[in-house]
């Protein structure tokens, strides 16, 4: 259908771009993600669309490979850049310019990292978003026309300082604190919602359904990830308010999907693990570790008060996927199918990335 | 001429080493750069020469490829290391030892990064200088015999703190503040001067002429870079004193030259973009982004009060050059000519870097 | 003997894992290292064993190459992770869980980095330990169940602050300060001891003997490294208490061994330099530089008060080994012998790391 009607093709491409934020190459999933975002915040939905369109159009104008574009691989970093700049900065026309610049740069970083990682059979994941958004956000202290929201601010570290570990919505708030089912459900689903920086349990429910539409395995690992991320923080005595709001969940959700989920014929030459007992244990260890990496990243950035974004997911997933070929207990999924007939996978990769010209 | 007389050859090599700081492989340009430095500071000129000679001699003694040496590729990081240590440390014999050690290490890093990046068709740019100078400067807080100048010092970040945005020489000074032609000219030419850490508009003018001697295109992109860097900071509300003194300009100058300038038969296997409308727009976006990366780097280093140096140029240029082969709207310049007859470019690269022995 | 009796083989593997911390592939050396650790601290010895066993078993269960395992290449990062978490955290069952998780992750990072660096003829060194321990330690400020020891704590930098440079055990202590033979001997041997984070001169003496058992050249470069590291700090005016306790020595010890020491048939495809005058000078410059990099790393981490660990050794050694093929004055040792007959070194490397399947 997307081939017959250009308008449908464009919408299909854009929706896949939203779906790819959680590694789901499915336009319905992308559409439901958008519904979830608008459910929580109209403004975030619009900035997500702005980032999505600009990043995708930039890839088109620069002449990136059409197959990569139509699978949404240049859209998802733009979506996240748009939302992040909207969440951490007070709205202003400068922020719109910032989002447009950030979306363009995210597309440039995406192509560069794809080229760099392809020989390792690794994917950039959301690293283009993290790099671009970090640089744009770090700079804000130097620019008077950019105004941070209250989520930004340096937090000096104090060894041995007491931490409020009771699970609750706000410190000292009226709601019941502790391991109640309401609090646990909030932690679980807000963890899914926070992947798009949406601090809303119902948005998280919509996101979970959106994943389920595409893949039951990914759905399972997403929820398992959110649960394990929060649980890791609970066991180690993490801040109860942060856990309630899903901050220990969202990187674990993504790590769970990337390490445990099944790939679905992505054009992108990334490889994932075959699902078996060993790879499941491996994925769950990675998921737990990503929650600790989230805390570590937050501490590393605390002197300048910047957010960890999805850097813990990227770092953990790279660390756990890089060595898999050397571990015989883990099997990797065979190469993704090649969408251009008559080319071997190696030739297709070379052509897509411009590594060498098409043979005569 | 350089071939006939050894002394002329040595001077030619050293002057090209100075010219390569701004990617200009031309001894006259290098000589004029030196003139500009001495015009501003006798001490900086002498430490630049110390770094230049030590770094080049180290490459010679270690047995680096002669072609690379004679094109000045081991001198320019030594030049910058010498000046930076002189500018940020109070003079003392310890600083001389520090510069000698730094210049040697810059040559070692240069060869390592060249080897690492060659397969990506990328060049180390000034990364050897940035890495070496950062390590040597960071350490100074631990060493009582090294005394920082007033340019070094931690600056805690304060979200939402007011910023003096009026363009002026010093905050609260007697000179007229605002967008006067004198202030704008200072920002423009000090931006060129700050590439060598020279805060002097006349030095910037001499540097601009030095570039013009070698390449009109590079001259244009250098001035355009300085203007766009300062303008970006002005639009976003950056500190007016920092803009006046060219701090938002110098990384943009280098980024403009690297992304927009024409290569001139460099022996170094780096590739640049063919100048056309698309590559010009691409270069200008990179130039603007480098000014924001400068602010981000300054913030990241503010807890320990260290300077950004030319790291924003290196990061931005790498990010913008890495993906170019994947973007069909951009064309890259074909391989640099090979100076050793009878070898293919691949063979020559392999021999220069010792990747494999010369075939029998 | 190790081949005949499985129990002996297991013990041999584990002891080599301890020996590899200082690049010594020798079970007697590993045994003496353990003796030295237990001599200083029973607790550190037990956590070292815990890390060692878990990291090695993880490699076995994940199906890593047996030759790599039996040469101790998956044990040494676990040893260091175990000790570091025990030294910087107050003991608790959470710390045991932390060590087990850290040891598993160190094995995963080890395999990943080995695969990444093999094409550059470089080894991961102790980078897996540094990365894993840093992430686990950074996170502790966010977790109420983890309690740092007094060694952890932010230290704001103050440019130009006075530094106590007199060599002494404790600032203002009763012992004689200055360049006494007792103080110098402490600095020398505590520098060797601190490689395993053991602040004890007699442990350092046992470690030195352990190295001597395996290699006189490594023994020489280890002591030379400790001496040069401390001397560099003395000349630059470093903190006298830190020098006394060997903090400027341990990274220099490792750098000295790696750059100057003779390889001893390691299965790991790493290459070192042929010992001659040029490589000795090169190694000593690297050793001196590593002491400065230690100070730089300490400053970079001072806002969050985290330890440098062996990162200065890893960075310096990578920087100095990466370019060696391009320097004709330096010769590299030829490829390590291949333990599997009938395979070329390239085929063996490919098989070990799963880069491509065994040819039919």
């Amino acid at each position: 259908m997307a081939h017959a009607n250009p308008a449908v093709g464009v919408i299909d491409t854009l929706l896949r771009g939203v779906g790819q934020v959680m590694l789901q190459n499915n336009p319905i999933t992308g559409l439901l993600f958008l519904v979830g975002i608008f459910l929580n915040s109209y403004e975030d939905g619009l900035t997500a669309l702005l980032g999505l369109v600009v990043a995708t159009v930039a890839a088109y104008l620069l002449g990136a490979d059409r197959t990569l574009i139509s699978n949404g691989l240049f859209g998802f970093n733009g979506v996240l850049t748009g939302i992040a700049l909207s969440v951490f900065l007070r709205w202003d026309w400068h922020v719109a310019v910032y989002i447009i610049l950030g979306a363009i740069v995210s597309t440039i970083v995406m192509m560069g990292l794809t080229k760099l990682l392809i020989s390792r059979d690794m994917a950039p994941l959301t690293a283009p978003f993290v790099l671009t958004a970090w640089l744009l956000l770090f700079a804000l202290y130097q620019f008077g026309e950019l105004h941070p929201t209250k989520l930004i601010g340096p937090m000096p570290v104090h060894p041995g300082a007491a931490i409020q570990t009771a699970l609750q919505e706000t410190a000292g708030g009226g709601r019941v604190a502790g391991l109640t089912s309401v609090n646990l459900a909030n932690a679980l689903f807000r963890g899914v919602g926070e992947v798009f920086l949406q601090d809303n349990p119902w948005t998280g429910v919509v996101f979970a359904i959106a994943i389920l539409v595409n893949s039951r395995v990914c759905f399972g690992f997403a929820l398992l990830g959110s649960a394990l991320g929060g649980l890791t923080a609970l066991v180690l005595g993490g801040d109860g308010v942060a856990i309630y709001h899903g901050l220990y969940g969202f990187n674990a959700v993504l790590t769970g999907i990337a390490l445990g989920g099944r790939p679905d014929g992505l054009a992108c030459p990334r490889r994932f693990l075959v699902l078996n007992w060993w790879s499941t244990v491996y994925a769950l260890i990675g998921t737990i570790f990503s929650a600790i990496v989230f805390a570590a990243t937050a501490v590393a950035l605390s002197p300048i008060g910047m957010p960890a974004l999805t850097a813990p997911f990227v770092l953990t997933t790279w660390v756990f996927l890089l060595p898999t070929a050397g571990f015989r207990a883990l099997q990797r999924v065979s190469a993704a199918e090649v969408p251009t007939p008559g080319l071997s996978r190696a030739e297709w990769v070379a052509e897509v990335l411009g590594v060498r010209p098409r043979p005569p």
Side-chain angles (χ1 to χ4, degrees), chain A:
Chain A
M1 196 164 80
H3 282 280
N5 187 329
V8 173
V10 168
I11 289 169
D12 181 82
T13 291
L14 293 174
L15 291 179
R16 284 176 197 272
V18 184
Q20 290 282 15
V21 169
M22 294 217 211
L23 303 150
Q24 308 301 309
N25 188 1
N26 183 319
I28 310 296
T29 301
L31 180 63
L32 286 171
F33 283 165
L34 275 182
V35 169
I37 298 169
F38 274 98
L39 190 74
N40 181 53
S41 160
Y42 216 75
E43 196 183 77
D44 289 1
L46 291 176
T47 52
L49 288 177
L50 177 60
L52 171 66
V53 170
V54 171
T56 308
V57 169
Y60 179 81
L61 291 179
L62 285 166
D65 180 80
R66 293 292 176 88
T67 308
L68 296 184
I69 295 175
S70 64
N71 280 282
L73 291 180
F74 291 102
F76 68 99
N77 287 293
V79 167
L80 290 173
T81 303
I83 297 175
L85 295 178
S86 152
V87 164
F88 294 109
L89 296 176
R90 290 215 315 269
W91 184 255
D92 189 280
W93 70 264
H94 294 91
V95 176
V97 173
Y98 230 50
I99 290 175
I100 292 170
L101 180 62
I104 294 171
V105 172
S106 81
T107 283
I108 292 169
V109 177
M110 179 68 190
M111 181 54 104
L113 284 183
T114 300
K115 197 183 154 203
L116 198 66
L117 296 170
I118 203 169
S119 59
R120 311 272 169 207
D121 258 324
M122 306 257 290
L125 306 172
T126 55
F129 152 62
V130 173
L131 179 67
T132 308
W134 267 354
L135 290 171
L136 292 172
L137 287 174
F138 283 18
L140 77 84
Y141 291 109
Q142 303 280 352
F143 294 137
E145 299 293 342
L146 299 172
H147 307 284
T149 57
K150 300 218 163 168
L151 296 167
I152 298 269
M155 291 164 291
V157 291
H158 298 288
I163 291 172
Q164 272 278 80
T165 56
L167 195 61
Q168 56 192 315
E169 186 170 5
T170 48
R175 298 282 188 82
V176 177
L179 300 175
T180 68
S181 57
V182 171
N183 287 350
L184 289 171
N186 266 284
L188 183 68
F189 288 106
R190 284 177 196 260
V192 182
E194 289 281 8
V195 171
F196 283 89
L197 294 96
Q198 304 301 305
D199 185 15
N200 183 319
W202 300 110
T203 295
V205 170
V206 175
F207 287 174
I209 294 168
I211 302 170
L212 184 59
V213 166
N214 187 51
S215 159
R216 277 173 303 168
V217 174
C218 287
F219 170 80
F221 274 99
L223 288 190
L224 210 53
S226 187
L228 275 177
L231 203 63
T232 302
L234 274 175
V235 168
L236 291 170
D239 181 81
V241 175
I243 301 170
Y244 179 98
H245 287 281
L247 296 187
Y248 282 98
F250 70 101
N251 278 285
V253 165
L254 288 167
T255 307
I257 295 174
L259 295 178
R262 220 178 264 166
D264 50 345
L266 289 171
C268 175
R270 89 183 96 193
R271 295 207 189 155
F272 294 94
L273 303 176
V274 172
L275 195 64
N276 61 27
W277 281 111
W278 279 113
S279 71
T280 301
V281 171
Y282 194 74
L284 297 185
I285 292 172
T287 303
I288 290 167
F289 192 65
S290 74
I292 294 171
V293 176
F294 172 76
T297 310
V299 168
L301 294 171
S302 62
I304 55 169
M306 284 291 155
L309 304 177
T310 53
F313 150 61
V314 173
L315 178 60
T316 305
T317 303
W318 280 349
V319 160
F320 275 69
L321 280 184
L322 183 58
T324 47
F327 291 139
R328 293 197 172 78
L330 304 173
Q331 290 169 266
R332 300 212 291 178
V333 174
S334 61
E337 63 266 33
V338 177
T340 310
L343 290 179
S344 74
R345 181 170 174 277
E347 284 169 342
W348 176 74
V349 162
E351 175 168 334
V352 163
L353 299 176
V355 178
R356 58 193 159 109
R358 191 198 283 266

